[in-house]
Amino acid sequence: MCGIIGFSTKVAKDPVAVITQHLAYLEYRGYDSTGMAFVDTSGQMHVAKKAGNILALKAATCDMHKQSHFGIGHTRWATHGQPNDVNAHPHVGDEASIIHNGVIENHEQLKAKLITEGFVFQSETDSELIAHTITKGIRQGLSRGQIFKNFHTDLKGIFSIVALFHDGEIIATRYKTPLVFCVSKDGVWLASDALAIAQHAVDGTVCFMKDGDIVSFVADHTYRMMRGTAHFTPIERRHQVPTKGNFAHFMLKEIYEQAEVVQTLRTFLENYNFPIDRPKKLLILGCGTSYYAGLMASYWLQEHACIETDVCIASEFRYQHFMRDYDMCVCISQSGETADVIAAVEIVKQRGMKTIGILNTIESTLGQMVDVVLPICVGPEIGVASTKALIGQLVCLLFMTLSWMKERDHFFSIMSELPQLIQSVLSNLPSIEQLAKQFHEVSSVFFIGRHQMYPVCLEGALKLKELSYINANAYPAGELKHGPIALIDHKTLTIVLVADDHVSEKTLSNAQEVMARQGAVLFASADDHLHPLLKLPVSQDKLLTIFAPIIALQLFSYYVALERGCSIDQPRNLAKSVTVE
């Protein structure tokens, strides 16, 4: 969600240019305000922060182009307090300026105590108290290192905290939210994502900090671990900063990369020995698109592998009073830092279940928690609305299913077909674009389908609402008449997903119910007899049926958003990596 950048270098730099450039690498995480702090070469602290995007911050700092050896920057996704200039980070105390990712759950009690001690607050955030707590600790004679150690006992919640002191020292710590640093030719760099600083890693390695670690960037521009040990690991391909190339948006580029993703993942899995035996009862945890990936896979697992499978929304899992006797849990998260999934996996591990993580980030928090990581190998996904990560997750889930069925050869056979299937959908792009032009002004869209098409409907509705801000909802087709059909009229669009399966006739009957009420219907199907407006290619293997409609609906949502003039790569209010509960 929020983004962090920091540097301490021997060669003085223009901090405004450096910080805004590196914050731009983190824009994909989603944000609504930005800010920076730096100490110039004369020893003066400068702070600037602005609601809005990085361009707004650049405009606000056009007269601040000094020289500096030390600086920190932040992109904020609002949790406590509106996205305005005052609530933006950094927050300033007498001793340091601080930036913070995460949520301080006991902030009200801590803030109230600081107010009684004479501290004055300017913002509505849960973060400002950190700056005042540093000031309070220094006045009490505590060392900076001890103050940061105390954060891990006094603060409840999750956090990454970075403080820039007036003498240029930068101190950082983390608990359940990511921080990474690297050594460069002339100093050290810090970020919430290795992608932002990988270019500076002089030996091609970075250190992913662990919970409780505290690092200091000291006066000679080197690092010193105040707590914990620094372990450096090589930078993977996915940490390289991507470009849009000839595409208008990252999302469209990532849709087109999906055939390559399948081929890359197939090559990786050919040499991957899946190490976990077939479970009797399986639990799958995820949020958003990752949850829908689990729902889609549950049909493979139950109907083909005959494995009893439950799929749970991770944020609700912890509230279950009665837990079935699962012997294995699969957690799905693109970032590996999804707070709700982390909290659910902690419960699972307390109950002794084996855990598999389907992740894009091996060194993430979840990557360190689970017993086995099955990496999706999709590289950086910059568009906030997930596309190629979903396809990578589904390929891994299908590999897992067929591995447990002792049918690895079948998996690799159908993976040879899948890239061609994806290309067939992409070749239909002009007609999909035309459909978007036809329907982009509708105010409400319903997605209906049965069986394995239902979770595809859920994902299609999510993509459309994320990108175009249209009120889009998905229902099992049979449920439409149990309430939602009251909303159908000539102003609504219903997208009907029809597969060539045993429930197609029932789905068509439900579509007739919509048309009888003057609702517009768009069929998405490979069945020519339906004369579908959204024509899908035929998949030779039934296990691949869901892939074509997923990608077609990604394209439809993209072009609808384009017609409506929406921010496609960074939709409003959304964040790529949801690191708060």
Side-chain angles (χ1 to χ4, degrees):
M1 301 183 82
C2 303
I4 283 175
I5 189 73
F7 71 91
S8 175
T9 56
K10 296 173 185 176
V11 177
K13 305 180 185 302
D14 177 347
V16 172
V18 168
I19 291 171
T20 53
Q21 174 193 354
H22 288 76
L23 287 179
Y25 299 145
L26 299 171
E27 281 191 299
Y28 76 96
R29 296 172 70 89
Y31 69 106
D32 43 48
S33 59
T34 62
M36 67 173 70
F38 62 89
V39 178
D40 67 22
T41 50
S42 67
Q44 182 179 355
M45 177 84 77
H46 300 265
V47 177
K49 48 187 184 173
K50 199 71 179 171
N53 61 21
I54 292 172
L55 292 176
L57 182 64
K58 285 182 177 180
T61 55
C62 60
D63 60 349
M64 287 176 61
H65 289 271
K66 313 286 185 180
Q67 289 291 297
S68 173
H69 296 278
F70 323 93
I72 57 176
H74 190 266
T75 56
R76 175 180 185 249
W77 187 86
T79 56
H80 296 72
Q82 297 180 11
N84 57 33
D85 294 356
V86 175
N87 290 331
H89 297 212
H91 294 291
V92 181
D94 292 345
E95 299 293 331
S97 297
I98 70 96
I99 52 181
H100 162 233
N101 288 358
V103 170
I104 309 301
E105 294 176 354
N106 60 337
H107 72 280
E108 291 186 355
Q109 303 95 301
L110 296 174
K111 180 177 179 179
K113 188 171 189 302
L114 287 166
I115 289 173
T116 63
E117 294 169 349
F119 289 94
V120 178
F121 283 76
Q122 306 298 325
S123 75
E124 305 168 279
T125 69
D126 59 334
S127 307
E128 186 181 353
L129 67 89
I130 296 167
H132 297 315
T133 300
I134 291 173
T135 299
K136 176 182 175 181
I138 296 295
R139 290 176 182 174
Q140 292 175 335
L142 299 179
S143 68
R144 294 172 180 177
Q146 186 58 53
I147 293 168
F148 270 70
K149 290 175 184 175
N150 289 348
F151 285 146
H152 289 274
T153 56
D154 296 341
L155 304 182
K156 307 301 181 187
I158 59 177
F159 52 83
S160 292
I161 297 170
V162 182
L164 171 64
F165 292 85
H166 289 278
D167 61 2
E169 183 179 17
I170 296 174
I171 302 179
T173 191
R174 64 151 276 178
Y175 179 67
K176 294 189 177 181
T177 58
L179 271 182
V180 56
F181 68 90
C182 72
V183 177
S184 68
K185 290 181 179 179
D186 72 332
V188 279
W189 293 77
L190 173 84
S192 50
D193 190 326
L195 182 146
I197 59 171
Q199 61 187 299
H200 300 293
V202 68
D203 58 355
T205 64
V206 295
C207 174
F208 292 93
M209 295 175 64
K210 298 185 182 301
D211 286 348
D213 284 357
I214 304 172
V215 66
S216 165
F217 293 175
V218 290
D220 61 353
H221 310 292
T222 60
Y223 76 90
R224 176 171 63 92
M225 296 303 296
M226 292 178 149
R227 185 160 79 175
T229 304
H231 298 285
F232 288 83
T233 56
I235 297 168
E236 298 178 7
R237 176 179 66 91
R238 64 177 188 81
H239 294 308
Q240 307 303 317
V241 178
T243 63
K244 285 186 281 193
N246 296 322
F247 292 90
H249 299 92
F250 277 109
M251 180 181 176
L252 187 59
K253 176 174 181 277
E254 288 157 2
I255 291 172
Y256 268 82
E257 288 174 345
Q258 292 178 118
E260 180 186 349
V261 162
V262 173
Q263 292 166 337
T264 300
L265 195 45
R266 182 186 190 277
T267 300
F268 170 80
L269 293 172
E270 282 177 345
N271 300 308
Y272 183 85
N273 182 25
F274 193 55
I276 293 189
D277 293 334
R278 173 193 179 98
K280 294 179 180 178
K281 291 184 180 178
L282 181 65
L283 170 68
I284 300 178
L285 297 171
C287 297
T289 289
S290 295
Y291 167 66
Y292 298 150
L295 285 177
M296 295 174 205
S298 69
Y299 289 89
W300 297 329
L301 288 158
Q302 295 188 101
E303 296 180 11
H304 297 276
C306 298
I307 296 173
E308 191 172 340
T309 305
D310 288 333
V311 188
C312 293
I313 297 173
S315 60
E316 290 296 312
F317 174 73
R318 74 187 74 180
Y319 308 124
Q320 293 187 4
H321 294 290
F322 301 98
M323 192 177 300
R324 302 176 64 192
D325 53 342
Y326 305 108
D327 51 350
M328 189 178 302
C329 172
V330 174
C331 65
I332 310 173
S333 168
Q334 184 275 140
S335 68
E337 302 292 347
T338 310
D340 288 316
V341 179
I342 291 170
V345 171
E346 286 177 340
I347 296 172
V348 162
K349 291 190 73 67
Q350 289 171 4
R351 293 175 177 263
M353 288 185 219
K354 291 180 181 178
T355 51
I356 301 171
I358 295 181
L359 315 168
N360 199 30
T361 43
I362 297 173
E363 68 287 328
S364 63
T365 301
L366 279 168
Q368 303 303 310
M369 292 175 68
V370 298
D371 297 312
V372 173
V373 173
L374 187 52
I376 63 175
C377 302
V378 302
E381 186 179 67
I382 302 301
V384 169
S386 184
T387 53
K388 64 178 182 177
L390 169 60
I391 297 303
Q393 290 168 348
L394 288 171
V395 169
C396 285
L397 287 161
L398 185 53
F399 171 77
M400 184 178 72
T401 302
L402 293 176
S403 293
W404 282 331
M405 293 174 66
K406 309 297 184 185
E407 293 187 15
R408 282 174 60 104
D409 290 344
H410 184 194
F411 170 80
F412 292 113
S413 173
I414 61 177
M415 283 304 105
S416 297
E417 177 193 347
L418 184 53
Q420 300 168 13
L421 188 70
I422 294 171
Q423 292 298 341
S424 295
V425 178
L426 296 175
S427 68
N428 196 31
L429 187 146
S431 64
I432 296 174
E433 187 175 4
Q434 197 59 42
L435 286 173
K437 291 179 184 294
Q438 181 179 347
F439 291 111
H440 74 276
E441 292 182 340
V442 298
S443 58
S444 295
V445 178
F446 297 94
F447 290 74
I448 63 170
R450 286 177 180 259
H451 195 237
Q452 60 183 331
M453 288 295 110
Y454 168 55
V456 178
C457 287
L458 289 168
E459 171 60 15
L462 178 63
K463 281 293 159 288
L464 190 61
K465 71 180 71 170
E466 283 179 320
L467 293 168
S468 70
Y469 316 142
I470 291 174
N471 181 23
N473 296 284
Y475 298 96
E479 285 296 300
L480 198 63
K481 58 184 170 289
H482 294 285
I485 202 167
L487 300 173
I488 298 293
D489 60 22
H490 66 283
K491 298 178 182 179
T492 61
L493 170 65
T494 300
I495 297 177
V496 184
L497 300 191
V498 185
D500 181 16
D501 58 18
H502 61 289
V503 297
S504 59
E505 291 185 357
K506 294 182 182 296
T507 304
L508 294 175
S509 294
N510 300 131
Q512 290 292 332
E513 294 164 0
V514 174
M515 290 186 281
R517 287 153 181 85
Q518 300 182 341
V521 170
L522 191 164
F523 286 106
S525 177
D527 187 348
D528 288 329
H529 294 95
L530 297 177
H531 305 291
L533 290 177
L534 189 51
K535 179 71 170 68
L536 302 177
V538 176
S539 53
Q540 299 303 314
D541 194 297
K542 297 295 186 184
L543 289 170
L544 299 183
T545 300
I546 63 172
F547 286 92
I550 288 171
I551 294 164
L553 292 176
Q554 291 173 353
L555 288 167
F556 179 75
S557 299
Y558 171 84
Y559 282 110
V560 168
L562 194 64
E563 289 295 322
R564 293 168 68 91
C566 299
S567 177
I568 289 174
D569 285 335
Q570 296 156 20
R572 70 186 184 201
N573 301 336
L574 298 182
K576 184 68 176 172
S577 177
V578 185
T579 55
V580 297
E581 296 177 12

